Amino acid sequence: MTRHLNSRRACVAGLTTLLLAGTAACSSSDDAGSGTASDSTYTWWDPYPQHNDSSAWAQRVQACGDEAGVAIERTAYDTTQLTNQALLAAQEGTSPDVILLDNPAVSTLADTGMLTTMDELGFDPAGIEENLLDAGVVDGEAYGIPIGANTLALYYNKGVLDAAGVDPASITDWDSLTAALQAVTATGAGGITFAGIGTEEGSFQFLPWFWGAGADLRDLDSPEALAALQLWKGWLDAGYAPNSVINNSQNTVWEEFLTGNFAFAENGTWQVNSAAEADFETGIIQLPAQDGGAAPAPTGGEFIVAPVQDDDARYETTTQIVECMTTPEGFVETATTFAYYIPPTDEGQEQLLAENPDLEVWVDAVREARGRTGDGLGTDYPVVSEALWTAVQEALSGVQSPEAALAEAQQDAESGTN
């Protein structure tokens, strides 16, 4: 069967180029968390080490094992380590039965041949929102199902806006947002804070402005890309954004916003509960596109995938576990457990909104969102993303002009992907 042939291709597919520094390709390992399991125990890996065995999330996972009539042995790694461990396990024949994987990594693992397709597991992903499913599609085959999605929007401090006479409903494009920032900073308050750090978080936060200008990740030095970078640089130069954005992570952005000094912060669905508990009244608007309407924000969140197994008999139970996580009710339960995931289906979203109508802005944002491996990049995305965040860093810090930084980024992306 193709799933067995694929498992033998994993090491041949160039894993040495996929493993991050510090891991050896095609070597043996005695790491804890091996995927080896008995017929009554199924192994599950996810990127949530912050959720221990007594957490609501761990109980959610175990409940799906109970429903399938098996015990689940759960191992949690941080996101980068999880991808590395998955690649090593494929070489050693110790892959777990189920992995929850950050969505940009799905194409990387699928490209090695170590994942079964959803068709092989008997799943029809037709009901999944296409913009969310795309991150897990390679050569027309879906290799996973998103268990939900998170994305970005603009949080605002109502008191700061009121003091500046700014109505958040008036912010519909870049010009109206910049005008609002000018009005706010004229009162002595901070304008906007965001994450321009030189990591994937920096690319993640820049992409809504990049895509909102109509730019394409295959053309990093286009006029549209330049407009987006000039927007951020212009805010920094005008004092509408603090110098700290150059090194801000998304957590740092949120800490700045919670001081109450800023009108706006770009951040994600995962801050919904924190915003509700802030010492000031907050609100949310979608990130505006350059000429109006909502900008496509990148999707965050994990896919549930099933690595290739030598024993075909395991797939039947694996399918039951995956089904438990991906029914409309299962999507909503996951969303409720995490308090920030939006279900990837219309039915799941409607059920979530029935329980929490305040999440409508986030549901709309997810419907407009786009997978980071889109624009036809697939496994080339990490190279392009690094070139992009480097350009943002150099432009914001004044090392290069936005034009020069993006021209260099395009050269680096081309040399790194050809």
Side-chain angles (χ1 to χ4, degrees), residues 358-383:
D358 292 342
L359 292 175
E360 184 172 4
V361 171
W362 290 112
V363 170
D364 290 342
V366 164
R367 287 171 175 169
E368 296 285 344
R370 186 182 299 178
R372 282 170 277 171
T373 54
D375 292 349
L377 290 180
T379 57
D380 288 338
Y381 173 76
V383 174

Side-chain angles (χ1 to χ4, degrees), residues 101-112:
L101 195 67
D102 191 27
N103 70 78
V106 176
S107 59
T108 297
L109 266 61
D111 194 56
T112 71

Side-chain angles (χ1 to χ4, degrees), residues 130-371:
E130 187 174 347
N131 65 320
L132 303 181
L133 184 66
D134 278 350
V137 175
V138 178
D139 295 332
E141 291 280 3
Y143 284 87
I145 294 178
I147 62 166
N150 51 41
T151 193
L152 296 166
L154 275 183
Y155 287 87
Y156 64 82
N157 181 325
K158 186 176 185 301
V160 170
L161 293 188
D162 286 348
V166 174
D167 179 359
S170 69
I171 298 169
T172 57
D173 56 19
W174 289 4
D175 285 345
S176 55
L177 176 56
T178 300
L181 296 177
Q182 183 178 17
V184 164
T185 54
T187 70
I192 186 170
T193 181
F194 50 83
I197 191 170
T199 69
E200 177 59 26
E201 288 188 57
S203 292
F204 189 73
Q205 289 236 327
F206 184 63
L207 281 173
W209 313 98
F210 181 89
W211 283 331
D216 188 300
L217 285 168
R218 293 166 296 186
D219 191 7
L220 295 182
D221 59 352
S222 68
E224 294 82 6
L226 178 61
L229 190 49
Q230 287 175 330
L231 178 72
W232 270 20
K233 177 63 171 170
W235 287 345
L236 196 64
D237 291 346
Y240 300 159
N243 287 330
S244 59
V245 300
I246 298 172
N247 296 312
N248 271 355
S249 68
Q250 294 185 108
N251 284 337
T252 310
V253 167
W254 195 246
E255 290 169 2
E256 287 183 334
F257 183 63
L258 289 180
T259 65
N261 296 327
F262 286 88
F264 298 99
E266 181 179 351
N267 228 287
T269 39
W270 52 91
Q271 301 293 6
V272 167
N273 289 344
S274 179
E277 297 167 358
D279 294 333
F280 49 89
E281 186 176 351
T282 65
I284 307 165
I285 59 174
Q286 289 197 55
L287 292 156
Q290 181 176 17
D291 297 324
T299 56
E302 281 71 42
F303 272 57
I304 189 167
V305 301
V308 168
Q309 304 293 329
D310 286 333
D311 181 3
D312 274 2
R314 300 189 69 81
Y315 291 119
E316 183 175 352
T317 299
T318 299
T319 299
Q320 294 177 49
I321 295 169
V322 175
E323 283 177 339
C324 173
M325 296 294 297
T326 57
T327 62
E329 296 76 18
F331 285 136
V332 172
E333 188 170 347
T334 296
T336 303
T337 299
F338 280 136
Y340 54 74
Y341 267 159
I342 303 301
T345 63
D346 284 339
E347 188 175 355
Q349 290 168 5
E350 289 168 4
Q351 287 189 29
L352 181 67
L353 289 177
E355 297 178 11
N356 193 338
D358 292 342
L359 292 175
E360 184 172 4
V361 171
W362 290 112
V363 170
D364 290 342
V366 164
R367 287 171 175 169
E368 296 285 344
R370 186 182 299 178

Side-chain angles (χ1 to χ4, degrees), residues 220-221 391 402-412:
L220 295 182
D221 59 352
E403 294 91 338
L406 288 172
E408 184 174 301
Q410 181 62 23
Q411 292 176 357
D412 290 345

Side-chain angles (χ1 to χ4, degrees), residues 14-206:
L15 292 186
T16 52
T17 64
L18 295 171
L19 290 168
L20 301 181
T23 56
C26 302
S27 65
S28 62
S29 171
D30 296 324
D31 287 341
S34 165
T36 304
S38 68
D39 291 342
S40 60
T41 300
Y42 276 63
T43 46
W44 170 292
W45 292 0
D46 66 44
Y48 310 133
Q50 70 272 32
H51 297 291
N52 61 30
D53 289 344
S54 63
S55 67
W57 170 246
Q59 292 171 25
R60 167 100 179 90
V61 173
Q62 293 299 336
C64 284
D66 293 343
E67 189 172 307
V70 296
I72 289 186
E73 180 182 300
R74 174 179 170 256
T75 304
Y77 300 99
D78 67 46
T79 298
T80 299
Q81 187 184 16
L82 176 61
T83 303
N84 290 340
Q85 291 295 332
L87 292 167
L88 280 172
Q91 299 167 55
E92 298 162 0
T94 59
S95 291
D97 295 286
V98 178
I99 304 177
L100 281 191
L101 195 67
D102 191 27
N103 70 78
V106 176
S107 59
T108 297
L109 266 61
D111 194 56
T112 71
M114 66 168 286
L115 299 181
T116 62
T117 69
M118 291 298 98
D119 182 62
E120 287 174 312
L121 282 183
F123 283 91
D124 180 2
I128 306 295
E129 297 281 355
E130 187 174 347
N131 65 320
L132 303 181
L133 184 66
D134 278 350
V137 175
V138 178
D139 295 332
E141 291 280 3
Y143 284 87
I145 294 178
I147 62 166
N150 51 41
T151 193
L152 296 166
L154 275 183
Y155 287 87
Y156 64 82
N157 181 325
K158 186 176 185 301
V160 170
L161 293 188
D162 286 348
V166 174
D167 179 359
S170 69
I171 298 169
T172 57
D173 56 19
W174 289 4
D175 285 345
S176 55
L177 176 56
T178 300
L181 296 177
Q182 183 178 17
V184 164
T185 54
T187 70
I192 186 170
T193 181
F194 50 83
I197 191 170
T199 69
E200 177 59 26
E201 288 188 57
S203 292
F204 189 73
Q205 289 236 327
F206 184 63

